Amino acid sequence: MQVSIKSYAKVNIFLKISQKRENYHEIVSRFVRVKNLYDTISFIPNNETNEFNLIGDFGCKLEDNTIYKAFLQLRKYCPKIDAFFRVYSIKVEKNIPEFAGLGGGSSNVAAFLTLANKHFNLYYKKEKLAKIGAKIGADVPFFIYEYDSANVTGVGEIVQEFKEEPLNIEVITPKDIKCHTGKVFTCFRNEFYKQISKDKSNKLLSMKSSEILNKLSLENANDLYLPAVKLYPKLKEYAKQDCFFSGSGSSFFKVI
Ligand SMILES: C[C@@](CO)(OP(=O)(O)O)[C@H](O)COP(=O)(O)OP(=O)(O)OC[C@H]1O[C@@H](n2ccc(N)nc2=O)[C@H](O)[C@@H]1O
Ligand SMILES: Nc1ncnc2c1ncn2[C@@H]1O[C@H](COP(=O)(O)OP(=O)(O)O)[C@@H](O)[C@H]1O
C-alpha cells in the first residue's frame, strides 16, 4: 500500500528580527502556506537496496537531506521504522525550489513526521512532533501545525494560528539565484542589525496579512531583504511593484 502527503511551501508576509539568541536570531513573522506549491512525499512498497532509500531530485547528499535527518530522529523514539524503511522507499516529487526562502527542507521534515505518525499509529501530539522537527530546521514547527496562516516567533518554535481569509499567492523564484540562509543572517547581523520594538511587533502580529502588505514596503516588510540584496545584487531585478520577499530569499511573492 502506498501512502502520500502534500508538503506545502510557505511565504513570510513580514519578517522582523526581535533579538539575538546565541548564533541565531529571534524572529517576529507571519507565515502563510502556499496552497498551489507543494512536494508530494510517498512511502512506496519497493526498495531493492535493503537500506534507507530516498528517491527524489535533491541538491544535496542523503546525509544532509532533512528527510533523512528526520528519519534518524524518529528512529530514536520508534526503532521499528528501521525495518520498515528497508522494505519501503520514500519517494519525493520535488516542486518547491531549494535555497528559495520557501521552507522546502523544513516542510518535508514536517510532512514526513506527520505521515509516519499516522502510518505507524504513533499518536504523538503535534507538540512532540514539532519538538522533534525543530532540531532539524527552524521552520518545521509551523509546518507541523498545518495552519494556513500563523504568527511565528522565537526562532520558529512558537506558532500561533492567525485566522484570516486565505490569500491567493503567486511565488516568483529567480532561477539563477540561490540564497544561503546562514550567510544572509550573518550579513544582517554584521551590517544591518536592528531590532523591532515590542509595540511594533504586537501591532503587526494583530493585523491581517492583506493589511500588512498594503501598509509596508518590500524593504520594510522583511529585515532580511537588504542583506540578501547585498550578497546577491541580481535579486533587485526581481523586485517588481507589489512584490514582497520571502524569508532569506530568493523568492518574491505577490497576492493575486
Ligand atoms: C529565514 C527563515 C524564515 O522563515 O526561512 P527560510 O528563508 O530559510 O525559508 C527561517 O527562519 C530559516 O529557517 P531554516 O532555513 O530552517 O534555518 P536553519 O536551517 O535552522 O538555520 C540555518 C542558519 O541560519 C541562521 N539562522 C536561522 C534561523 C534563525 N532564526 N536565525 C538564524 O540566525 C543560523 O546561522 C543557522 O545556522
Ligand atoms: N528535503 C529537502 N528539501 C529541500 N532542501 C533540502 C532538503 N534536505 C536538505 N536540503 C538542503 O537545505 C538547504 C536549503 O533549504 P530549503 O529549505 O530548500 O531552502 P530555504 O531555507 O531557502 O527555505 C539546501 O542546502 C538543500 O540542499
Side-chain angles (χ1 to χ4, degrees), residues 64-196:
D64 296 327
N65 199 293
T66 56
I67 298 174
Y68 182 60
K69 290 182 185 172
F71 160 75
L72 294 180
Q73 286 295 332
L74 191 64
R75 194 174 63 174
K76 292 185 195 161
Y77 300 83
C78 181
K80 73 175 179 193
I81 68 170
D82 195 73
F84 177 85
F85 285 113
R86 287 174 190 277
V87 179
Y88 275 65
S89 299
I90 299 177
K91 189 170 168 203
V92 183
E93 193 188 300
K94 197 82 194 145
N95 299 310
I96 307 173
E98 297 179 18
F99 294 104
L102 301 171
S106 285
S107 174
N108 285 180
V109 171
F112 167 78
L113 292 175
T114 303
L115 186 60
N117 194 36
K118 274 197 199 119
H119 191 69
F120 300 113
N121 296 317
L122 302 178
Y123 301 106
Y124 292 170
K125 293 210 169 81
K126 284 187 183 286
E127 287 70 20
K128 178 163 176 167
L129 296 177
K131 276 211 176 100
I132 296 172
K135 293 181 188 137
I136 303 159
D139 289 342
V140 177
F142 166 72
F143 290 111
I144 291 282
Y145 288 101
E146 300 179 280
Y147 299 136
D148 285 333
S149 175
N151 287 333
V152 178
T153 52
V155 292
E157 75 281 13
I158 305 168
V159 181
Q160 282 162 322
E161 183 174 20
F162 188 84
K163 287 212 163 74
E164 62 179 339
E165 286 283 301
L167 297 178
N168 252 338
I169 301 241
E170 183 191 344
V171 173
I172 303 110
T173 305
K175 281 215 172 6
D176 45 347
I177 311 172
K178 298 204 178 317
C179 291
H180 188 287
T181 304
K183 285 185 187 158
V184 174
F185 271 107
T186 304
C187 181
F188 169 78
R189 180 179 283 229
N190 294 339
E191 297 179 51
F192 294 89
Y193 193 78
K194 60 178 174 172
Q195 297 186 173
I196 189 170

Side-chain angles (χ1 to χ4, degrees), residues 10 12 15 23-25 31 101-103 106 137-139 181-182 185 247-248:
K10 61 84 185 159
N12 303 86
L15 191 160
N23 288 333
Y24 273 71
H25 300 80
F31 282 47
L102 301 171
S106 285
D139 289 342
T181 304
F185 271 107
S248 54

Side-chain angles (χ1 to χ4, degrees), residues 177-226:
I177 311 172
K178 298 204 178 317
C179 291
H180 188 287
T181 304
K183 285 185 187 158
V184 174
F185 271 107
T186 304
C187 181
F188 169 78
R189 180 179 283 229
N190 294 339
E191 297 179 51
F192 294 89
Y193 193 78
K194 60 178 174 172
Q195 297 186 173
I196 189 170
S197 70
K198 224 50 250 89
D199 279 356
K200 280 193 180 146
S201 59
N202 285 339
K203 175 95 181 88
L204 284 171
L205 292 170
S206 70
M207 287 165 70
K208 286 200 256 175
S209 294
S210 55
E211 287 171 355
I212 296 169
L213 297 178
N214 276 331
K215 187 178 149 143
L216 297 184
S217 67
L218 165 63
E219 286 87 355
N220 278 334
N222 187 333
D223 281 347
L224 299 178
Y225 176 65
L226 290 176

